[in-house]
Amino acid sequence: MTDKKTLFETITLGNTTLDNLVGVAPMTRISATPEGEVTDQMVSYYTSFARGGFGLIITEGNYIDDMYSQTYFDQSGIIFEEQAQAWKKVVDSVHQAGAKIFMQLQHSGALSQGNRFAQETLAPSAVQPKGEQLAMYLGEGPFPTPREVTKEEIQAVIAGFVHAAKNAKLAGFDGIEIHGANGYLLDGFLTDYTNQRTDEYGGSTKNRVRLSVEVSKAIREAVGKEFTIGIRISQAKVNDYTHKWAGKEQDAAIIFGQLGQAGLDYIHVTEYKAWEPAFDKSGQSLASLAKKYGGVPVIANGHLEDPQKAGEMIENGEADVITLGKGALANHDWVNKVKNGEPLATFKPEEVLRPNAKIKEFEV
Ligand SMILES: Cc1cc2nc3c(=O)[nH]c(=O)nc-3n(C[C@H](O)[C@H](O)[C@H](O)COP(=O)(O)O)c2cc1C
């Protein structure tokens, strides 16, 4: 007998009890209708992970308003009644198959590549994003320079997140995850070189994480205690894979410390390799730092498809739950296979994504 924690135990995040500690990471599919409604094909897609044993599924990022939040054409949304009704089919089917499901809520910020509601993009400051639009989501060329968001528009963004969270709750989701990672709006505020504001949302690290904190608190106030709320945080961005927080552990202490007091039930941390030191050659992983300073359960993500690596994150107490992106796409039944000692398939981009997809695009 061993008292080591394994991937196959239960855990309660907020008000949600998971059957095991393995989740599907949020993954944009751009397979909804042009009106942002999920299709029957997506019901099957999400249900197959539940049948394959995953305890938790976090959906792709959904846009939260009919202004500046849509990031890709054919992305799903959660602002209209029809969109919520369509998602309810996914939720019911996933629940019937025995898994829990959280909806990820996303505001594109400067990184929108396709928004049927607006031509321009909004960001903390008018800084043109690094890099090029993502070809796997059918973008090409540089990103446009965004317009600086006004104080009134910041309030509208918060209201959009709240409205979206309430809709997700009505659709029967077990919780929501705020997309605070990968360069989109909230991470744009957090990131020093994209946030050049001189008001209370810019400057110090505490100021730069303020919008994520305000969104989290506003959602908590609106949905009550019984609905699970988390946030996703990263250093890297889809258009800047190697970005690191300049203040290193001091930044981590402020960011996770602030988020830990914002009414959240968990923090989901994503790094290229979840177990590697966050800043220098040695030192703690970002997940461990989130645990150390956040004081709430931590979900870790990043190349954890090897069951041994995934198990070690749990055993070492660096994370409470792990999520898989590419590993889950290659093995919708990763959990069942690992339980039964069956071999796992290797992720092949050409099989599961768009034909022209470049592997570099998945490195966050
Ligand atoms: C096709 C694809 C779509 C993704 N879409 C999202 C998304 O909507 N929201 C998000 O937070 N991360 C997104 N990601 C990042 C994944 O959630 C995950 O962090 C990344 O794939 C690294 O984990 P992995 O090494 O297990 O694949 C996406 C990744 C892929 C491959």
Side-chain angles (χ1 to χ4, degrees), residues 25-28 61 104 137 179 232 270 301 303 325-326 353 364:
M27 279 181 285
T28 292
Q104 193 183 51
Y137 301 135
H179 197 341
R232 193 164 215 231
T270 171
N301 167 259
H303 270 293
K326 298 178 288 290
L353 292 164
V364 292

Side-chain angles (χ1 to χ4, degrees), residues 22-60:
V22 190
V24 179
M27 279 181 285
T28 292
R29 315 279 45 216
I30 54 167
S31 55
T33 66
E35 292 75 35
E37 291 166 28
V38 297
T39 60
D40 289 345
Q41 183 201 357
M42 291 167 75
V43 177
S44 312
Y45 164 78
Y46 281 109
T47 306
S48 71
F49 294 115
R51 295 213 177 105
F54 284 90
L56 173 66
I57 295 163
I58 305 172
T59 71
E60 60 206 281

Side-chain angles (χ1 to χ4, degrees), residues 206-278:
K206 188 174 173 194
N207 279 355
R208 285 184 281 111
V209 78
R210 185 181 305 279
L211 182 56
S212 292
V213 170
E214 288 184 356
V215 167
S216 306
K217 285 185 175 168
I219 293 178
R220 172 59 72 212
E221 205 177 324
V223 298
K225 281 206 179 85
E226 75 278 10
F227 194 56
T228 306
I229 309 176
I231 194 165
R232 193 164 215 231
I233 295 292
S234 68
Q235 298 194 87
K237 294 138 205 352
V238 290
N239 60 329
D240 180 4
Y241 308 124
T242 55
H243 180 73
K244 296 279 178 194
W245 296 339
K248 299 184 181 179
E249 185 162 347
Q250 272 182 339
D251 273 356
I254 297 165
I255 293 163
F256 296 129
Q258 290 289 309
L259 293 171
Q261 290 166 26
L264 295 164
D265 297 306
Y266 73 88
I267 298 174
H268 187 176
V269 171
T270 171
E271 285 265 272
Y272 180 53
K273 289 183 175 166
W275 60 92
E276 287 194 339

Side-chain angles (χ1 to χ4, degrees), residues 63-77:
Y63 56 83
I64 54 134
D65 61 27
D66 57 1
M67 293 181 284
Y68 301 98
S69 64
Q70 186 176 354
T71 316
Y72 307 105
F73 290 125
D74 299 338
Q75 180 186 15
S76 52

Side-chain angles (χ1 to χ4, degrees), residues 13 26 37 44 50-51 79-80 98 106 136 138 177 183 215 217 244 254 290 301 314 332 346 357 364:
L13 297 177
E37 291 166 28
S44 312
R51 295 213 177 105
I79 54 178
F80 302 125
Q106 176 177 23
M136 81 164 165
L138 311 180
E177 176 170 288
V215 167
K217 285 185 175 168
K244 296 279 178 194
I254 297 165
N301 167 259
I314 300 293
H332 284 219
T346 311
V364 292

Side-chain angles (χ1 to χ4, degrees), residues 303-356:
H303 270 293
L304 290 172
E305 60 274 2
D306 173 356
Q308 187 164 344
K309 276 272 176 256
E312 277 168 19
M313 293 293 291
I314 300 293
E315 253 179 54
N316 301 342
E318 291 188 58
D320 301 286
V321 174
I322 65 106
T323 57
L324 303 176
K326 298 178 288 290
L329 289 180
N331 302 276
H332 284 219
D333 52 354
W334 189 96
V335 175
N336 289 346
K337 277 183 178 159
V338 171
K339 257 192 195 160
N340 300 331
E342 291 168 28
L344 293 164
T346 311
F347 172 73
K348 294 195 192 75
E350 69 277 11
E351 280 176 9
V352 277
L353 292 164
R354 293 180 179 269
N356 297 331

